[in-house]
């Protein structure tokens, strides 16, 4: 466990999970290690790792994984939320949160979960507020400036970078599977962190456009060859339409005279 903790902390440093913001909430001071010369607060990653372990134990206590909702209105967390729900069985609500999901029983999308997890308490404030009305415990990824009202388990980390968000959900999903017994700690997890990273669809389209369109040039050349072949066929076959068929009668010849009626 100690070796795994050190490796996880090294990975969190690479993904910049420890970088906070210039502002700080008074409830987040306990998780701040120090402040840089630029005014950016550095988060204590040791406490972040401990809170991930606590959050995983809370998630495992829910018998039915479908009773867990993982929400993220932040675009960088949408893919991580979907991947987390894929490996843990939770319900993912990526994108805009429909008001009344936890409070309005008339709506068709009304849900009654036993646990709610959000990526950013500030952007997901509507979900946190409804969970407080319904008396549902909340787990949140909290930055140094995140409000902690109605948050039961706060994981102090950078919740604005796509690498940091993806790594946090990956670590949480791995620990949940360890505690459930679906994964063996000795073997590790084969799934890479890269699969949790958010990917910009516009960037993917841009990469496709940057590739040389060699196949289009090849198609145009093939089209020219086809036209040339059609010309050859026209030159060689135009004179043979009126020629008599081989081994048959001449279709262009005059028809034979009809027999006389008196010849019967």
């Amino acid at each position: 466990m100690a070796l795994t903790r050190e490796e996880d902390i090294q990975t969190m440093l690479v993904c910049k999970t420890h970088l906070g913001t210039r502002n700080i909430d008074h409830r987040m001071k306990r998780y701040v290690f120090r402040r840089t010369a630029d005014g950016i607060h550095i988060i204590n990653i040791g406490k972040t790792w401990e809170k991930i372990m606590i959050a995983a134990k809370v998630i495992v206590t829910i018998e039915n994984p479908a009773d867990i909702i993982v929400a993220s209105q932040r675009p960088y967390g949408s893919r991580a939320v979907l991947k987390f729900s894929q490996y843990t069985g939770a319900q993912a609500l990526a994108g805009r949160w429909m008001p009344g999901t936890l409070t309005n029983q008339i709506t068709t999308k009304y849900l009654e979960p036993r646990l709610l997890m959000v990526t950013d308490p500030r952007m997901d404030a509507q979900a946190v507020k409804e969970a407080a009305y319904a008396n549902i415990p909340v787990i949140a990824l909290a930055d140094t400036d995140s409000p902690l009202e109605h948050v039961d388990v706060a994981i102090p980390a950078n919740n604005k970078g796509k690498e940091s968000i993806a790594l946090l959900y990956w670590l949480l999903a791995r620990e949940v599977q360890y505690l459930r017994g679906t994964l063996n700690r000795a073997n590790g997890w084969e799934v890479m962190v890269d699969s949790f990273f958010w990917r910009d669809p516009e960037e993917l389209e841009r990469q496709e456009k940057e590739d040389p369109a060699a196949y289009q040039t090849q198609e145009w050349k093939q089209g020219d060859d086809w036209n040339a072949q059609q010309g050859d066929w026209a030159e060689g076959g135009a004179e043979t339409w009126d020629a008599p068929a081989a081994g048959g009668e001449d279709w262009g010849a005059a028809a034979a005279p009809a027999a006389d009626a008196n010849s019967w």
Side-chain angles (χ1 to χ4, degrees):
M1 179 68 77
L3 182 60
T4 305
R5 183 176 184 272
E6 293 178 359
E7 293 176 353
D8 294 343
I9 289 178
Q10 291 292 334
T11 310
M12 283 192 281
L13 288 173
V14 173
C15 293
K16 301 179 181 180
T17 308
H18 62 292
L19 296 181
T21 61
R22 297 180 185 273
N23 301 326
I24 185 171
D25 189 88
H26 67 280
R27 285 171 289 248
M28 291 295 297
K29 288 183 179 180
R30 69 184 77 176
Y31 303 116
V32 174
F33 174 65
R34 66 183 181 89
R35 188 177 183 182
T36 63
D38 298 336
I40 298 176
H41 294 86
I42 304 300
I43 300 172
N44 190 340
I45 294 188
K47 295 184 179 181
T48 302
W49 190 85
E50 293 175 359
K51 278 302 190 76
I52 290 176
M53 300 298 111
I54 294 173
K57 294 177 181 178
V58 173
I59 293 174
V60 171
T61 57
I62 308 298
E63 297 179 358
N64 185 11
D67 290 337
I68 304 172
I69 290 181
V70 188
S72 174
Q73 293 195 48
R74 188 177 292 276
Y76 284 171
S78 57
R79 182 179 177 86
V81 161
L82 294 173
K83 285 292 183 178
F84 177 83
S85 62
Q86 174 185 350
Y87 292 110
T88 60
Q91 282 186 306
L93 294 180
R96 181 177 179 272
W97 176 271
M98 182 64 66
T101 302
L102 305 180
T103 55
N104 191 355
Q105 301 180 4
I106 302 176
T107 58
T108 56
K109 295 184 179 180
Y110 174 71
L111 298 174
E112 292 181 293
R114 297 185 58 190
L115 180 65
L116 173 67
M117 182 173 180
V118 296
T119 305
D120 189 348
R122 190 178 301 278
M123 293 192 68
D124 300 319
Q126 180 67 26
V128 175
K129 188 176 181 180
E130 293 184 11
Y133 286 149
N135 200 19
I136 298 171
V138 177
I139 299 175
L141 305 182
D143 210 332
T144 56
D145 61 344
S146 298
L148 297 184
E149 286 85 359
H150 311 303
V151 174
D152 298 282
V153 179
I155 301 176
N158 176 13
N159 60 6
K160 297 174 178 59
K162 60 180 180 180
E163 294 88 359
S164 176
I165 295 174
L167 177 62
L168 292 171
Y169 276 106
W170 182 84
L171 291 173
L172 197 57
R174 185 193 65 179
E175 186 63 23
V176 167
Q177 294 182 82
Y178 282 159
L179 295 176
R180 287 177 178 172
T182 56
L183 286 179
N184 188 1
R185 292 185 183 272
N187 299 333
W189 196 18
E190 298 178 354
V191 178
M192 302 296 292
V193 190
D194 302 350
S195 61
F196 283 67
F197 285 172
W198 180 77
R199 298 176 183 176
D200 188 3
E202 295 181 357
E203 184 178 353
L204 296 177
E205 293 178 1
R206 196 180 307 113
Q207 292 177 358
E208 293 179 359
K209 291 180 180 179
E210 290 177 357
D211 295 336
Y215 64 96
Q216 294 182 358
T217 307
Q218 186 176 2
E219 287 181 356
W220 280 109
K221 290 181 179 179
Q222 289 181 355
D224 297 339
D225 297 337
W226 280 107
N227 294 333
Q229 293 179 6
Q230 291 177 3
D232 296 341
W233 293 340
E235 292 176 1
E239 299 176 356
T240 59
W241 285 107
D242 298 333
E249 299 178 353
D250 186 2
W251 291 96
D260 190 1
N262 298 327
S263 61
W264 289 99

